[in-house]
Amino acid sequence: MINPINVGIILSNRYRIMQELGHGGFGRTYLAEDIYRFNELCVLKEFAPQVQGSYALQKAQELFEREAGVLYKLQHSQIPSFRELFHVILNDQGYIFLVQDYVNGKNYRELLEERKRQGLLFSEQECKMLLIKLLPVIDYIHSLGVIHRDISPDNLILRTADQLPVLIDFGGVKQVAATVESQYGQQNGASIAATRLGKVGYAPDEQMQMGIVFPHSDLYALAATVLVLLTGKEPQQLIDGYTLTWNWRSHCSLSGNFGEILDKMLAYRPGDRYQVAGEVLQVLQNPIAPNLQIPATIPPPEFNTQPVPPISPLPVTQTPNKFAPLLSVMLVLIVMVGMGGVGWFAGNYWLKNFSSSNSKKIEQGKPSEQEKQDALRDRLQKLSIDGNFFVKLVDEIFYAKYPELGGKALTKEPADRDWRDRWYQVANNLLNRLENISEESRKRLGNYDISDINRWKVEVNKLNLSSRALYDLADAEFFYLFPDQPRDLNLIDLEIGQIWQAITTDKLKALQTGEKLETIKFSAKSSSKKVSEKLQPGEGKAYIARLKKGQTLQLSLDNQGKETWLSIYTPGNTQKSKALLEDSPKVNFSAQLDDTGYYEFIVVSRATSPIAYELTLNIE
């Protein structure tokens, strides 16, 4: 049957179809504009139950309305709000549509495929943060008696606005569709068998075989989703077909505690699983101290005495607690358990009053580890950087830089001495980079959160700039300091993301003071304007110019052959704001403008040496 729902059609005299987002066994999903709400975007989920007769259609409507009532009571910032349910007849076929808020972002299936194309996967730390941010949402729906039934990478969206995971596509409505077709549908004169909801491999066996669901059914699916993100493999590739157990350890390496949590969530027997989301969240946030055993040390490779290359601060798996190298093993074990577990350096950092200030030098003519530690502590104090945060950040970078360690805890033994030296090198190299950030912003490292991002958006909009312009300037410096950091990775949940937020704070202040923002004004007698600037590596500057719809803009950037990136953003007053250029190496641009207001021009340097440029705008 030909689909009667085409782009541009208006349903229920209200919803204009913009595009089809996808389709499944019970209908299609569309992106639409709500013309009653200033063309606000929303999502329409279509259900076209294959039933015959007005009675069957009426019962289908009643069942859908009952389930819609369940969705209506879900009021959570990480669940798209349900708006309404409506019924239309198209080409003598009855359709039921569920209307929900549109979530701008990519689902985790898309994010995973993007990473796989680049040879990357999700890290343990990212997956832990995903669980920590999503488990309260799942606990919320369970408290209202709602089971999602269909958690998978496809049904989790990383929202662009705040980088929070959003839970979509609840299975209850799809279960209603299955029930309707099984009870009232006819296919070749025979009743259609009831459909079990859930994706193979993601849903536990009792759900797939008998349709039985409990809160721990969602927890099973969530753990399966995490393993798919960690390994890049589908559940069928990770489950032993004979024993029905998950064999994921040959595909990824996790810290013992996290691996055990996932195993319990994925237990075959329902009674062996965590029963509620709060249990999982509690053990993730307050893990029981593991057995502190010193692993057998492996002779380190030949120590590289050359200058340390740029650190590759990729997200890595969280590592076991590391021990203070200058204290006896027994003292460290007692203190570490009492402190709840901190980093190897942090153990010494906070136990400095217990360590000997007269420890012997490792080698004649070289500073002892105590002297290295004291020097590092002094730098931290001078730079006003929190020691606890700094240790976690160095650990994140250190274990990414040396994956051959596999997260092995460093000991005080001579065999680990070279590794400890490298840890100090990573730490000092990092401090050299943090010196580029203002003291005020450095003081807040470890304490930035999403509220800062929301505040920046408000403040930068007051300058007739978008947050994209601010982020362009911040990215320029961040990726100059950390060139190996992937540009498509979500930094906010990582320790290194705190550095990006500190840099962004500085860039906002530079815009507010006018240091990195200039307004281009044309005189009454001239339609051309030229501005010039000098930039250091990683620096950038923003320009705004009030232009009119219908004008032709011609731009040229003379960068003296140096590498620059240019972005041009429209005002978004009468047309939706868009990027005419974004992070482009182009130096010439021409276009007829379709909006009136302040246009944004962002120039950033990607050169490794200072650069001077001239920017010329011509308006016709």
Side-chain angles (χ1 to χ4, degrees):
M1 183 176 66
I2 298 176
N3 179 25
I5 303 174
N6 301 310
V7 172
I9 189 174
I10 298 178
L11 300 176
S12 191
N13 294 320
R14 179 170 183 173
Y15 302 104
R16 181 186 293 112
I17 300 298
M18 304 298 293
Q19 68 179 91
E20 181 179 323
L21 296 177
H23 61 274
F26 300 108
R28 295 175 171 84
T29 301
Y30 299 94
L31 178 66
E33 288 181 332
D34 186 344
I35 60 179
Y36 284 6
R37 297 178 64 169
F38 304 100
N39 294 333
E40 185 176 59
L41 293 179
C42 58
V43 171
L44 269 59
K45 293 185 181 298
E46 163 204 303
F47 297 95
Q50 302 300 304
V51 298
Q52 299 294 327
S54 59
Y55 174 77
L57 192 59
Q58 178 184 349
K59 296 302 294 184
Q61 178 85 3
E62 291 174 359
L63 289 172
F64 275 109
E65 286 178 352
R66 184 188 309 168
E67 186 61 29
V70 173
L71 293 179
Y72 186 77
K73 67 182 180 181
L74 297 179
Q75 301 293 324
H76 194 285
S77 62
Q78 288 171 254
I79 299 173
S81 295
F82 166 73
R83 296 189 181 185
E84 70 164 323
L85 189 79
F86 67 90
H87 173 230
V88 296
I89 301 292
L90 298 171
N91 294 350
D92 298 323
Q93 175 70 41
Y95 292 83
I96 296 172
F97 288 92
L98 186 76
V99 186
Q100 288 181 301
D101 285 350
Y102 170 67
V103 180
N104 183 24
K106 296 180 180 179
N107 68 44
Y108 276 78
R109 172 73 61 195
E110 295 172 302
L111 295 173
L112 177 61
E113 292 304 317
E114 287 178 0
R115 294 198 183 189
K116 287 170 67 175
R117 288 193 291 270
Q118 299 173 6
L120 301 171
L121 296 170
F122 282 79
S123 71
E124 176 177 340
Q125 181 65 18
E126 285 180 295
C127 289
K128 280 186 177 180
M129 291 306 302
L130 173 62
L131 289 180
I132 288 172
K133 291 184 176 182
L134 200 59
L135 283 166
V137 185
I138 295 174
D139 188 56
Y140 166 76
I141 66 172
H142 290 171
S143 71
L144 297 177
V146 178
I147 310 297
H148 187 282
R149 302 168 183 252
D150 198 16
I151 294 176
S152 70
D154 304 271
N155 292 336
L156 296 174
I157 291 180
L158 182 63
R159 187 163 54 200
T160 301
D162 55 14
Q163 296 297 299
L164 286 176
V166 177
L167 192 58
I168 67 167
D169 212 7
F170 282 69
V173 177
K174 288 181 283 187
Q175 184 64 60
V176 169
T179 301
V180 166
E181 293 198 2
S182 66
Q183 292 183 0
Y184 303 105
Q186 293 291 320
Q187 186 174 9
N188 299 325
S191 296
I192 302 172
T195 302
R196 305 300 183 196
L197 263 293
K199 292 183 176 65
V200 175
Y202 292 93
D205 189 61
E206 70 274 6
Q207 179 178 338
M208 296 302 298
Q209 297 298 325
M210 297 175 286
I212 299 174
V213 293
F214 298 94
H216 56 65
S217 307
D218 282 347
L219 300 181
Y220 183 103
L222 182 58
T225 296
V226 166
L227 283 181
V228 170
L229 298 178
L230 286 165
T231 64
K233 307 288 185 182
E234 285 303 302
Q236 297 89 325
Q237 299 172 280
L238 301 173
I239 299 176
D240 189 307
Y242 295 99
T243 65
L244 299 181
T245 57
W246 287 73
N247 295 331
W248 53 264
R249 284 176 169 78
S250 60
H251 300 280
C252 68
S253 177
L254 303 177
S255 60
N257 182 59
F258 191 46
E260 291 169 3
I261 291 173
L262 295 179
D263 282 338
K264 186 167 182 177
M265 294 172 72
L266 291 165
Y268 181 76
R269 293 180 63 252
D272 293 337
R273 301 173 195 149
Y274 294 105
Q275 298 301 298
V276 294
E279 289 184 87
V280 186
L281 187 61
Q282 183 177 10
V283 74
L284 273 172
Q285 295 179 324
N286 302 291
I288 299 174
N291 295 327
L292 298 176
Q293 298 178 345
I294 300 175
T297 57
I298 302 174
E302 187 67 23
F303 182 66
N304 181 10
T305 58
Q306 298 300 315
V308 180
I311 298 170
S312 177
L314 298 176
V316 296
T317 57
Q318 188 168 335
T319 59
N321 296 328
K322 291 162 280 295
F323 311 124
L326 300 179
L327 303 177
S328 67
V329 174
M330 184 58 69
L331 176 59
V332 172
L333 294 181
I334 294 172
V335 174
M336 292 292 279
V337 172
M339 294 177 65
V342 289
W344 165 74
F345 171 76
N348 259 332
Y349 183 83
W350 294 113
L351 295 174
K352 60 181 181 180
N353 292 329
F354 296 93
S355 61
S356 170
S357 61
N358 297 316
S359 56
K360 296 180 179 179
K361 293 186 178 181
I362 297 174
E363 295 182 28
Q364 189 65 31
K366 292 185 178 181
S368 68
E369 292 196 43
Q370 181 65 49
E371 289 172 332
K372 291 179 182 179
Q373 185 185 58
D374 291 341
L376 194 56
R377 184 185 303 118
D378 290 342
R379 290 194 71 187
L380 283 171
Q381 291 175 348
K382 290 179 180 178
L383 293 175
S384 302
I385 297 174
D386 177 74
N388 282 330
F389 160 75
F390 184 74
V391 168
K392 290 187 289 184
L393 177 60
V394 175
D395 283 348
E396 184 177 86
I397 296 173
F398 177 77
Y399 283 94
K401 183 175 175 63
Y402 299 110
E404 62 268 31
L405 281 172
K408 182 184 78 69
L410 301 183
T411 73
K412 73 179 189 68
E413 300 301 323
D416 278 348
R417 186 183 64 194
D418 286 343
W419 291 116
R420 295 195 300 270
D421 287 342
R422 297 184 189 198
W423 193 96
Y424 279 114
Q425 284 188 316
V426 169
N428 280 296
N429 187 289
L430 179 59
L431 286 179
N432 291 340
R433 303 178 187 199
L434 295 182
E435 287 178 343
N436 294 278
I437 300 173
S438 70
E439 180 178 3
E440 184 178 354
S441 296
R442 286 197 303 261
K443 286 180 178 179
R444 291 201 59 215
L445 285 170
N447 295 300
Y448 291 100
D449 57 30
I450 192 66
S451 64
D452 293 288
I453 296 177
N454 294 331
R455 177 178 55 82
W456 297 334
K457 292 179 181 178
V458 174
E459 294 298 319
V460 77
N461 289 164
K462 295 177 182 178
L463 305 174
N464 295 312
L465 282 172
S466 65
S467 56
R468 292 181 297 184
L470 172 62
Y471 298 159
D472 284 345
L473 298 180
D475 286 350
E477 181 171 341
F478 178 84
F479 289 110
Y480 171 71
L481 295 175
F482 300 94
D484 294 330
Q485 179 68 39
R487 286 181 173 266
D488 62 343
L489 197 61
N490 175 25
L491 298 171
I492 301 303
D493 295 335
L494 304 178
E495 302 298 341
I496 201 169
Q498 291 284 306
I499 298 178
W500 181 86
Q501 290 190 262
I503 291 173
T504 306
T505 300
D506 283 348
K507 297 304 178 186
L508 176 60
K509 291 177 181 176
L511 290 171
Q512 290 173 325
T513 61
E515 178 186 355
K516 294 300 179 183
L517 174 61
E518 183 175 341
T519 301
I520 298 176
K521 297 181 179 180
F522 297 90
S523 68
K525 298 180 179 180
S526 176
S527 60
S528 179
K529 184 70 175 181
K530 181 180 294 184
V531 292
S532 60
E533 187 62 76
K534 294 181 180 179
L535 297 176
Q536 296 298 317
E539 281 190 336
K541 186 161 183 176
Y543 301 89
I544 57 174
R546 185 169 179 80
L547 306 176
K548 296 180 180 180
K549 179 179 179 180
Q551 289 182 323
T552 298
L553 167 68
Q554 293 181 329
L555 176 149
S556 64
L557 176 65
D558 181 3
N559 59 13
Q560 299 182 355
K562 299 289 186 177
E563 189 175 6
T564 57
W565 269 0
L566 174 65
S567 298
I568 305 175
Y569 302 120
T570 65
N573 286 334
T574 60
Q575 303 283 339
K576 185 177 180 181
S577 179
K578 60 186 176 182
L580 300 179
L581 285 180
E582 189 167 23
D583 295 336
S584 173
K586 288 186 176 181
V587 294
N588 293 290
F589 176 81
S590 178
Q592 187 174 31
L593 306 181
D594 62 2
D595 200 358
T596 297
Y598 282 99
Y599 283 74
E600 306 166 44
F601 307 88
I602 318 300
V603 181
V604 299
S605 171
R606 299 197 69 213
T608 56
S609 59
I611 178 177
Y613 68 83
E614 287 186 343
L615 179 67
T616 303
L617 299 184
N618 288 296
I619 298 297
E620 296 179 359

